[in-house]
Amino acid sequence: MMERTLLILKPDAYQRQLIGTILTRIEHKGFKLVGMKLMKMTESIAKQHYAPHEGKHFFGDLISYITSGPCVVLTVEGTNAITVMRKMVGATRGFEAEPGTIRGDFSLSMRYNIIHASDSPESAEREINIFFSKEELMEDSIVIRSWIEGGE
Ligand code: CMP
């Protein structure tokens, strides 16, 4: 099923100059970039994005971290994008994430874990709408559809 998902390459990824490396993995897998922004998140946007975690003990530190420096925010599209990207991202805690996953290869931390990926179709829709207007998302581009869709 064709899906879109929201990804955030977090301030630690930017600071460690891993943006290109991570984008390469996403593109090489076959995902199409349909939205991309370099931004320093405001506290208000960060709180909106992480609203499901409000009240948890780590919420304040999470907001401080995600607003501490530039992020690259992406919407990517492809077959089963939500599940496939979550697999590529790996477990939340870098020290538990499998080698070969983005967190498994680049993080040892629970908080500074490089990348966020939407965890469900409902989250993806909610999160994409926080960061992108309809006009900012590419519709049909020249990327070969059958390649992305895994078809003939
Ligand atoms: P993310 O996938 O963006 O979703 C919520 C984020 O909160 C998570 O990645 C981590 O960066 C952070 N996080 C989750 N659990 C903890 C925790 N126990 N302590 C600190 N940060 C956490």
Side-chain angles (χ1 to χ4, degrees), residues 13 51 62 92 137:
L62 174 58
T92 300
L137 297 171

Side-chain angles (χ1 to χ4, degrees), residues 9 13 18-27 102 106 114-115:
L9 312 187
L18 289 170
I19 301 298
T21 301
I22 298 168
L23 282 177
T24 299
R25 286 186 178 211
I26 294 165
E27 283 201 307
I102 295 168
F106 298 117
I114 300 282
I115 183 168

Side-chain angles (χ1 to χ4, degrees), residues 71-106:
C71 293
V72 173
V73 186
L74 302 162
T75 297
V76 305
E77 182 181 283
T79 303
N80 299 339
I82 298 164
T83 311
V84 174
M85 272 312 313
R86 292 283 291 187
K87 272 192 199 158
M88 286 174 66
V89 162
T92 300
R93 301 164 173 186
F95 53 84
E96 288 174 356
E98 291 291 326
T101 64
I102 295 168
R103 287 171 176 161
D105 289 350
F106 298 117

Side-chain angles (χ1 to χ4, degrees), residues 23-126:
L23 282 177
T24 299
R25 286 186 178 211
I26 294 165
E27 283 201 307
H28 282 184
K29 180 68 178 167
F31 288 116
K32 186 173 89 171
L33 306 178
V34 297
M36 180 156 74
K37 284 182 184 179
L38 176 66
M39 64 186 294
K40 192 156 180 286
M41 243 184 254
T42 62
E43 195 175 308
S44 156
I45 296 274
K47 283 184 171 165
Q48 219 180 312
H49 171 72
Y50 279 124
H53 294 290
E54 205 167 345
K56 294 186 182 164
H57 67 92
F58 59 84
F59 186 70
D61 288 338
L62 174 58
I63 299 301
S64 303
Y65 152 54
I66 205 71
T67 57
S68 67
C71 293
V72 173
V73 186
L74 302 162
T75 297
V76 305
E77 182 181 283
T79 303
N80 299 339
I82 298 164
T83 311
V84 174
M85 272 312 313
R86 292 283 291 187
K87 272 192 199 158
M88 286 174 66
V89 162
T92 300
R93 301 164 173 186
F95 53 84
E96 288 174 356
E98 291 291 326
T101 64
I102 295 168
R103 287 171 176 161
D105 289 350
F106 298 117
S107 169
L108 265 178
S109 168
M110 180 148 59
R111 179 175 309 136
Y112 307 112
N113 61 359
I114 300 282
I115 183 168
H116 165 86
S118 309
D119 64 4
S120 67
E122 297 71 31
S123 304
E125 194 185 346
R126 188 184 73 81

